[in-house]
Amino acid sequence: MNTLGSKIRSLRKSKKMTLVDLAGDYMTKGMLSLIENDKNKPSMESLEYIAKRLDTTVSSLMEDGDEQITNEMYDKIKKELKTPNFNREKDLKILLDPVIDQIKHNRKGAFIFQWYAYIKAIHKDPSAFELLNLAKQIYINLNDKNSLLDVENDVITMHFMLNDYRKAFEKGVELYNQYKDDYEITDPNAIPRLLLSISAYAYYSYDLKDLYKYIKLAEKESLKNKTFRLLPSIYKSFCFAYTLDNNFKMYKAILDKFEYLRPFLNNDFNYKYDIFTTKIIYHFYNQQDDALLEIINNQNEYLKSEEYTEENFESFNKNIWSLTKGIALYRKGQYDEAISTLNDYQPDIEFRAPADIAVSVQKETYLALNEERMGNLEKARVYINKAMDVIKDIPPNHFTKITEDTYDRLMK
């Protein structure tokens, strides 16, 4: 029988690759051996990695269900996902609604449902859970516990995206305790990914104790499994935590850890982007405006990779990093360019974490400062009142201070 595992093994041997060669830094030799012997069903992420290493496609490795329609949809969805865009729900609906019944029975269909659910959740659509239930049923039928855990993690993420933060955190911890010692979970990134999600929920709740606890567990699991794929995101989360904690000695120590990964991930876009964003926050927090502007203005150099496209460039120029650029320009006294940049900034997502909210309202804070600088106090008060209204229900932090100080001065 020409199973998935036997196809992978046959293709690997035809290319004269050892198990170690194919496993690379993504998974262990033992994990790959389980896949080749059909004792472990790989996740779609693992299949993407294996297919790329074997110079083939997931579609050619897998031939199940209504192959033609599912492959066509899968390829279209993968193409859609190459560029960051939170407003593609309508396009996906047009693509998928006519064929949903024909892709309900195989792994690629489950992958499609997961991503469709994610887009729906961004738009606060509870039908996201129905799509995830379809994906769960596919993995249950395939007896694929690794992918089932991935979907269960997605279900918790949906609760979070629909603003049920406490439930997301509690369900995440419950899921971790359920699966952490399960020997059938052989995907090296499954548990670290779950732990990273849990730490994110703690970040959004401003819960530093649990934030540190679950990030450290995520790092420990990644190192134990000898996989580096999630470590950049883990280190970025550490840095954000130390920002909240005002501990820049530890921030710098974690930032240095990125360099340890360079030999393994130097050409990986996500690795470069995590370094890029982490350094921006570091320079922004410490008001190192020349360094901040240098890295933003030279993003092509910092992010250059196969996955970095013109669409990425345009998207990044409009996101929160353009806000930090405008503030840096203002602090350097380049007022006209700063105000133009600030006025052009429109957030592309809904901020939930206290620190993120506090940063985003600095647009109104600096517009208020500019009006105050020109003597337009009434306009300044309009802007600062708008900013204070947004941060009134979040815990005070480093990023709220300038807004609070400006409000106290203008309203006295």
Side-chain angles (χ1 to χ4, degrees):
M1 182 178 178
N2 196 19
T3 64
L4 173 62
S6 65
K7 288 179 191 176
I8 293 172
R9 181 171 58 248
S10 177
L11 191 53
R12 171 179 64 78
K13 289 184 175 180
S14 72
K15 293 181 176 294
K16 299 186 177 356
M17 296 176 71
T18 66
L19 283 167
V20 173
D21 293 334
L22 181 54
D25 297 318
Y26 180 82
M27 64 181 70
T28 65
K29 172 183 172 181
M31 291 171 181
L32 180 57
S33 178
L34 289 172
I35 291 172
E36 289 195 353
N37 287 288
D38 295 300
K39 293 181 179 178
N40 176 40
K41 293 181 172 65
S43 65
M44 286 305 301
E45 181 182 287
S46 296
L47 275 175
E48 289 279 358
Y49 173 83
I50 291 170
K52 185 174 182 180
R53 298 276 286 187
L54 292 173
D55 195 26
T56 186
T57 64
V58 172
S59 296
S60 66
L61 291 175
M62 301 181 63
E63 297 179 356
D64 53 356
D66 193 328
E67 178 188 338
Q68 183 176 353
I69 289 176
T70 309
N71 286 349
E72 181 182 337
M73 288 299 106
Y74 177 77
D75 291 341
K76 286 181 179 179
I77 296 297
K78 290 294 289 184
K79 186 176 180 180
E80 280 281 318
L81 297 175
K82 281 187 177 294
T83 56
N85 182 353
F86 294 105
N87 298 305
R88 53 166 62 98
E89 183 184 19
K90 184 178 178 181
D91 294 336
L92 291 182
K93 181 178 177 64
I94 292 171
L95 275 176
L96 295 176
D97 279 5
V99 298
I100 273 186
D101 286 339
Q102 292 165 276
I103 61 174
K104 283 183 177 179
H105 47 264
N106 61 32
R107 192 181 302 273
K108 282 177 287 187
F111 173 87
I112 292 168
F113 292 141
Q114 285 178 262
W115 272 102
Y116 196 13
Y118 177 75
I119 298 301
K120 282 184 173 292
I122 287 174
H123 295 276
K124 309 298 183 186
D125 186 342
S127 68
F129 292 107
E130 297 172 16
L131 291 166
L132 290 180
N133 283 333
L134 290 174
K136 284 173 66 175
Q137 192 56 54
I138 290 171
Y139 292 134
I140 289 171
N141 293 340
L142 292 170
N143 193 29
D144 184 350
K145 190 174 283 190
N146 288 281
S147 296
L148 185 59
L149 171 57
D150 193 47
V151 179
E152 294 282 14
N153 193 5
D154 283 349
V155 171
I156 296 168
T157 301
M158 297 304 136
H159 285 297
F160 167 74
M161 295 174 74
L162 293 170
N163 299 332
D164 196 346
Y165 308 139
R166 178 47 52 182
K167 186 172 184 178
F169 177 79
E170 291 173 352
K171 287 289 185 182
V173 173
E174 181 182 317
L175 197 63
Y176 168 64
N177 288 327
Q178 178 183 346
Y179 283 104
K180 65 180 181 180
D181 297 319
D182 192 326
Y183 71 92
E184 293 184 72
I185 302 300
T186 53
D187 181 339
N189 290 302
I191 297 298
R193 188 186 298 113
L194 173 60
L195 289 164
L196 192 57
S197 295
I198 296 170
S199 70
Y201 308 146
Y203 171 73
Y204 278 77
S205 300
Y206 217 74
D207 183 344
L208 292 180
K209 181 180 178 181
D210 281 330
L211 176 53
Y212 286 128
K213 175 182 176 179
Y214 289 102
I215 297 175
K216 289 176 181 177
L217 283 171
E219 181 185 30
K220 180 181 177 181
E221 288 292 321
S222 290
L223 294 173
K224 183 182 77 173
N225 294 341
K226 299 180 181 178
T227 175
F228 304 111
R229 190 176 185 84
L230 288 178
L231 282 174
S233 294
I234 290 169
Y235 292 152
K236 181 170 71 173
S237 296
F238 264 122
C239 287
F240 284 9
Y242 287 125
T243 297
L244 296 180
D245 212 9
N246 201 25
N247 186 342
F248 275 83
K249 180 179 179 181
M250 285 303 301
Y251 189 115
K252 186 64 169 61
I254 294 295
L255 193 60
D256 291 341
K257 286 190 175 184
F258 278 105
E259 292 302 314
Y260 304 153
L261 301 176
R262 191 174 296 278
F264 310 101
L265 299 169
N266 188 44
N267 294 316
D268 182 81
F269 171 73
N270 290 322
Y271 167 69
K272 290 185 174 184
Y273 186 65
D274 283 337
I275 295 176
F276 179 76
T277 54
T278 303
K279 286 184 175 179
I280 285 175
I281 288 293
Y282 180 80
H283 296 316
F284 179 67
Y285 185 100
N286 289 287
Q287 297 193 21
Q288 298 171 348
D289 296 323
D290 288 332
L292 174 61
L293 291 171
E294 191 277 333
I295 192 172
I296 291 178
N297 290 335
N298 292 284
Q299 66 165 285
N300 285 331
E301 177 185 339
Y302 283 95
L303 299 177
K304 185 178 180 181
S305 64
E306 184 179 327
E307 294 88 355
Y308 180 66
T309 65
E310 187 65 30
E311 288 85 355
N312 294 136
F313 178 80
E314 292 300 323
S315 175
F316 298 156
N317 278 344
K318 296 175 182 177
N319 70 10
I320 197 167
W321 310 133
S322 68
L323 171 62
T324 63
K325 178 179 179 179
I327 292 172
L329 289 167
Y330 190 92
R331 293 191 301 219
K332 286 175 64 65
Q334 299 176 30
Y335 300 121
D336 290 343
E337 186 180 355
I339 297 305
S340 175
T341 303
L342 290 172
N343 280 324
D344 286 344
Y345 164 68
Q346 296 295 331
D348 55 356
I349 59 174
E350 176 189 354
F351 293 107
R352 300 183 181 91
D356 296 341
I357 293 171
V359 171
S360 69
V361 301
Q362 289 195 39
K363 172 180 177 176
E364 282 71 31
T365 301
Y366 274 86
L367 291 175
L369 287 170
N370 189 57
E371 295 296 342
E372 180 188 25
R373 179 180 66 84
M374 296 188 297
N376 303 324
L377 296 184
E378 286 305 312
K379 283 188 175 181
R381 290 179 183 125
V382 170
Y383 281 123
I384 203 62
N385 272 317
K386 184 177 178 181
M388 280 298 295
D389 189 56
V390 173
I391 67 170
K392 64 183 180 182
D393 295 324
I394 67 174
N397 59 66
H398 169 84
F399 295 114
T400 65
K401 190 174 189 312
I402 186 171
T403 301
E404 293 160 343
D405 289 348
T406 304
Y407 177 85
D408 290 342
R409 184 175 65 254
L410 286 172
M411 303 305 292
K412 65 182 179 182

